[in-house]
Amino acid sequence: MSALFWFRRDLRIYGNEALIEAVENGARDALFLLCEQQWQQHNAAPVQVDLLKRRVVWLGHKLAEFGIRLHVLDAGDFTKVPALLAQFCEKSEVQQVYANREYEVNEQARDLACQEAGIELKLFDGDLIAPPGSVTTASNEMYKVFTPFKKAWLKQYEQQHFYLPSWPELDLEPQQWQAPELLEGDASSEKWPVDDETLVKVVQTFIQDKMADYKEHRDFPGVKGTSGLSPYLALGIVSVKQLLAEIQLHFPELLQMTSAPAFSWVNELIWREFYRHLICAYPKLCKGFNFNEKYNDVRWREDDAQFKAWCEGKTGYPIVDAAMRQLNQTGWMHNRLRMIVASFLTKHLLIDWRKGEHYFMSKLIDGDLASNNGGWQWAASTGCDAQPYFRIFNPISQSEKFDPQGDFIRKYVPELSDVPAKSIHFPHDYLQAFAIEGYVDPIVDHKAARERALTAFKV
């Protein structure tokens, strides 16, 4: 064979332009390289690795139906990839390797090392609508504020009709494929389906039935108002182009109607693009640096006990605790809650955002460096177009506004199951009055913590 497709975080068949072009150019084999040691260095959550493995198994069987064989090799970490890939290409007489580009620093260095090893890589921007560097200011610089980026992005694509290329007609015999032991997981992600038949229905149901109400419901963790597609976007099981193509079937003019309620979800997809463009323009973001260097002098507190309490959902603030327990139990957290707990860690506890970023990556089924880093630096006020340092979420009022009856809190903090709604958002007086034990005392006073954060950030 002369061509090979290399799967990375683009674990899809339909609409995968790089895969389709590879197949059209003679690729009858595909490759996936397990890099578990590298993933551990990147704090990848076990639940996400399990989802990835389950999807690769599904891919192997599905490709075999088309007569294409998926090879799975253990590379360990990125340093071993160039030699392993070169050896595979030589043995299989591969002259060109097709793949979708990954934008993080280590991934870019891996691809460069492969090219230096003599491997001809043909890379596509399958993870984005706009390739990095294609949405810039008049002076050809990366935007540092989201809204102008969004306007420029929309100007480029608002008239475009998105569609997915069809899978080529192949006259190949179906094959048998046996999943290797390397792909055995721990079943921690089993509640998340990995087959395309189910996922197509999930996408269509959200867009047809829920997207118009997304703006109204998105901030309430007790309501199923979000798409639940973030784990699939993180692994490239679903692509942004696929989603926009489906959206245009039901909302043909939506990219020109930014005030429409349904556009709120498209806005989140553009935020995703923004954060990916940022890590390309500013590689330091992949290395743990503040985007806004003026906050380099903030003196973060080292308090292992309070950080542990935050991680375990034992801060004494019910909405924070419920959110962290949801993360620990399910591998996922509602977006509004991510903002609340990130603000609490960085402002109330004045603990370095990097510790929170790392903890999230170690737990999230939808862990993604660009979006995770962007979200954490936004909350910590150190990032690009971040929340101003003096805007500090009050976890009690946030709880009252977005979980008014306390239903979400009761689900994950059963110690408070009998506390009435008017008291559940900060229940300590109620618990003391009725001598109810079992819930932790608050580890910090909101007013004092807020003043401390303001003083620290004014430096």
Side-chain angles (χ1 to χ4, degrees):
M1 62 179 172
S2 61
L4 173 74
F5 183 74
W6 177 8
F7 279 104
R8 283 105 81 93
R9 280 175 295 176
D10 55 347
L11 302 178
R12 60 186 181 276
I13 296 177
Y14 301 109
N16 192 331
E17 293 173 352
L19 171 61
I20 290 170
E21 186 166 324
V23 171
E24 288 176 340
N25 281 278
R28 297 298 178 259
D29 289 77
L31 179 67
F32 183 80
L33 298 177
L34 277 168
C35 296
E36 296 205 56
Q37 294 170 22
Q38 190 75 41
W39 301 338
Q40 289 173 6
Q41 293 174 29
H42 291 172
N43 297 306
V47 66
Q48 185 181 57
V49 173
D50 186 68
L51 180 68
L52 178 150
K53 289 181 177 180
R54 290 174 54 231
R55 176 63 177 186
V56 173
V57 170
W58 183 89
L59 275 176
H61 288 297
K62 195 67 178 179
L63 287 167
E65 293 177 13
F66 296 126
I68 296 173
R69 177 167 296 279
L70 177 64
H71 302 264
V72 179
L73 302 178
D74 187 5
D77 61 37
F78 288 169
T79 62
K80 300 181 181 67
V81 167
L84 187 62
L85 182 58
Q87 182 182 23
F88 184 89
C89 289
E90 181 179 1
K91 180 180 178 181
S92 305
E93 299 182 351
V94 170
Q95 288 151 9
Q96 190 169 50
V97 177
Y98 290 75
N100 281 298
R101 188 175 279 108
E102 294 180 304
Y103 305 106
E104 297 84 354
V105 166
N106 292 150
E107 283 76 358
Q108 294 274 0
R110 173 204 60 200
D111 288 352
L112 179 60
C114 287
Q115 291 169 330
E116 291 174 344
I119 298 166
E120 185 179 341
L121 280 181
K122 185 168 184 180
L123 298 173
F124 292 68
D125 288 294
D127 189 45
L128 295 168
I129 298 298
S134 66
V135 182
T136 55
T137 66
S139 56
N140 202 33
E141 295 179 350
M142 174 61 196
Y143 285 99
K144 297 182 180 179
V145 178
F146 171 69
T147 300
F149 174 89
K150 178 179 72 173
K151 290 179 179 178
W153 190 97
L154 287 169
K155 187 176 181 180
Q156 289 184 201
Y157 296 106
E158 63 185 359
Q159 300 296 335
Q160 183 164 329
H161 179 74
F162 293 98
Y163 67 94
L164 300 181
S166 0
W167 183 252
E169 293 289 338
L170 300 174
D171 189 19
L172 299 175
E173 288 293 325
Q175 301 182 14
Q176 292 295 319
W177 188 79
Q178 180 67 42
E181 293 183 3
L182 288 170
L183 294 177
E184 291 182 0
D186 57 15
S188 58
S189 69
E190 62 182 0
K191 291 184 179 180
W192 297 84
V194 295
D195 62 287
D196 278 357
E197 293 78 10
T198 301
L199 293 178
V200 165
K201 292 177 183 177
V202 170
V203 169
Q204 291 177 343
T205 298
F206 174 75
I207 291 172
Q208 293 177 39
D209 302 338
K210 296 183 178 181
M211 198 172 82
D213 297 323
Y214 173 77
K215 184 176 182 179
E216 180 182 353
H217 295 156
R218 57 173 291 186
D219 286 318
F220 297 88
V223 176
K224 290 186 177 180
T226 61
S227 69
L229 293 173
S230 56
Y232 304 111
L233 279 166
L235 295 177
I237 297 170
V238 170
S239 72
V240 177
K241 183 175 285 189
Q242 174 187 344
L243 297 175
L244 287 174
E246 185 68 30
I247 287 168
Q248 287 182 329
L249 291 176
H250 304 281
F251 303 91
E253 309 298 326
L254 190 58
L255 293 183
Q256 303 165 40
M257 301 168 59
T258 57
S259 61
F263 183 81
S264 294
W265 193 64
V266 175
N267 199 62
E268 296 303 309
L269 298 179
I270 303 175
W271 266 107
R272 182 178 182 274
E273 301 247 324
F274 179 60
Y275 283 141
R276 272 158 182 71
H277 283 232
L278 277 176
I279 65 170
C280 288
Y282 302 98
K284 69 177 185 179
L285 297 177
C286 297
K287 301 178 181 180
F289 289 97
N290 292 329
F291 178 87
N292 193 334
E293 295 179 358
K294 77 177 184 179
Y295 291 117
N296 288 350
D297 291 332
V298 172
R299 298 187 64 180
W300 301 107
R301 296 175 59 248
E302 291 289 341
D303 192 320
D304 292 341
Q306 288 195 345
F307 179 66
K308 184 173 184 288
W310 177 85
C311 291
E312 295 178 353
K314 297 178 180 179
T315 68
Y317 286 83
I319 195 67
V320 174
D321 295 341
M324 295 304 296
R325 295 184 195 185
Q326 179 188 42
L327 173 64
N328 293 333
Q329 292 173 29
T330 71
W332 186 82
M333 186 191 292
H334 188 277
N335 185 61
R336 167 59 58 172
L337 301 180
R338 297 187 196 205
M339 292 189 285
I340 293 172
V341 302
S343 177
F344 190 87
L345 183 73
T346 58
K347 303 293 175 62
H348 282 74
L349 303 185
L350 206 60
I351 289 175
D352 196 333
W353 61 267
R354 298 165 187 84
K355 296 189 72 171
E357 179 196 37
H358 291 164
Y359 188 76
F360 264 33
M361 284 299 290
S362 74
K363 295 292 183 178
L364 283 172
I365 193 170
D366 61 359
D368 170 273
L369 187 145
S371 295
N372 192 43
N373 179 276
W376 271 97
Q377 292 221 48
W378 181 89
S381 303
T382 63
C384 181
D385 198 11
Q387 179 171 241
Y389 76 87
F390 49 82
R391 288 186 60 194
I392 299 174
F393 281 2
N394 181 331
I396 302 171
S397 59
Q398 289 283 310
S399 180
E400 292 170 340
K401 185 175 182 179
F402 298 116
D403 189 28
Q405 299 304 311
D407 295 334
F408 178 79
I409 290 172
R410 291 188 190 89
K411 181 176 181 179
Y412 288 101
V413 189
E415 309 95 290
L416 304 179
S417 58
D418 295 327
V419 176
K422 66 179 182 179
S423 301
I424 199 167
H425 307 288
F426 197 66
H428 303 285
D429 289 343
Y430 179 90
L431 297 176
Q432 185 176 14
F434 289 91
I436 299 174
E437 298 180 351
Y439 186 56
V440 294
D441 293 329
I443 61 175
V444 68
D445 174 72
H446 166 66
K447 185 176 180 180
R450 183 179 185 278
E451 292 302 319
R452 179 176 64 186
L454 290 174
T455 300
F457 275 83
K458 283 178 183 176
V459 173

